[in-house]
Amino acid sequence: MSRRPKNKKRVHWFFKLILLVLIVIGVSYVLTHVTKNEIYPKHYNEYVSKFSEQYDIDENFIYAVIKTESNFIPTAESEVGARGLMQIMNDAFEWSYTKIGDDEITYDDMFDPQYNIEYGCFMLSYYYEKYGSYELSAAAYHSGMGQVDSWISDGTIDNENIEVSDIPASKTRHYVNKVMSAFKAYDNLY
């Protein structure tokens, strides 16, 4: 007689454990789904895929920059006039324009996701090829190549062994940390 209740208790606890495991799996799935689609989305995938491949730059790095710059708002415009998803400044547009050579494009087109992503991918690819690191590419995107070059030439930054904490400009350091954190999140989620 005492055996039967023990078996019922074991079966009861076993089903509770199974139910708990299913709940944890379900909550984990929902949180991952919400995180992927709401917090770290992959909007404008057709353009990001096309231009990240064309310019040989990591797709998730491009998403991290877009997330950091505009949070995927194509009409975003900063106080200093940076435009679009990747917040491209007029001088950066002009520099890229001379390299890309598309006669039909104007700075007003930087609100168009296709052109904005193309120009942003081109610039980040150029920086990555020049510096060999995503951290320095993000720093150049934020502060300009001249600034990053001066940090390297005066020894403030070792471009062979970059530490984000070595970036002397606090706003740029903060920006690079945000981009790299988003980049890591995209890599982990996708």
Side-chain angles (χ1 to χ4, degrees):
M1 219 185 210
S2 66
R3 228 170 175 218
R4 205 166 191 181
K6 277 187 179 181
N7 284 339
K8 279 187 174 182
K9 283 183 180 181
R10 285 184 185 153
V11 169
H12 182 72
W13 280 107
F14 178 75
F15 283 119
K16 281 184 175 181
L17 179 62
I18 294 293
L19 181 62
L20 179 62
V21 167
L22 291 174
I23 289 170
V24 167
I25 290 170
V27 167
S28 175
Y29 173 79
V30 168
L31 287 177
T32 300
H33 182 74
V34 166
T35 300
K36 282 174 79 169
N37 294 323
E38 300 299 324
I39 299 173
Y40 294 101
K42 283 195 160 188
H43 301 312
Y44 309 102
N45 186 47
E46 66 276 17
Y47 304 131
V48 173
S49 292
K50 176 183 176 181
F51 295 118
S52 65
E53 184 176 331
Q54 180 177 332
Y55 294 112
D56 195 27
I57 188 79
D58 191 293
E59 187 175 300
N60 286 336
F61 183 62
I62 300 303
Y63 283 116
V65 170
I66 294 171
K67 169 78 176 152
T68 303
E69 289 286 356
S70 69
N71 202 26
F72 295 91
I73 300 169
T75 57
E77 188 167 12
S78 74
E79 295 170 2
V80 294
R83 292 182 176 177
L85 292 168
M86 298 187 76
Q87 290 293 280
I88 297 175
M89 295 289 295
N90 191 39
D91 57 344
F93 165 78
E94 293 291 336
W95 176 82
S96 299
Y97 177 83
T98 63
K99 306 273 189 213
I100 294 173
D102 190 344
D103 294 338
E104 303 290 320
I105 305 299
T106 69
Y107 187 54
D108 288 335
D109 291 315
M110 288 300 99
F111 289 117
D112 182 313
Q114 177 180 346
Y115 298 126
N116 191 278
I117 291 169
E118 179 180 11
Y119 277 65
C121 285
F122 170 79
M123 285 188 287
L124 287 166
S125 173
Y126 185 92
Y127 301 150
Y128 187 77
E129 190 173 310
K130 178 177 174 120
Y131 298 114
S133 92
Y134 289 111
E135 294 85 356
L136 290 179
S137 299
Y141 196 78
H142 186 263
S143 288
M145 287 185 292
Q147 189 65 62
V148 173
D149 289 344
S150 72
W151 294 334
I152 292 169
S153 69
D154 71 13
T156 303
I157 290 179
D158 177 5
N159 65 327
E160 298 296 320
N161 189 23
I162 179 68
E163 294 290 332
V164 175
S165 60
D166 291 340
I167 296 172
S170 62
K171 287 182 181 181
T172 301
R173 186 174 52 249
H174 178 70
Y175 174 82
V176 172
N177 276 324
K178 283 178 68 174
V179 168
M180 296 311 294
S181 176
F183 186 23
K184 183 178 179 181
Y186 275 103
D187 273 348
N188 288 337
L189 289 168
Y190 297 95

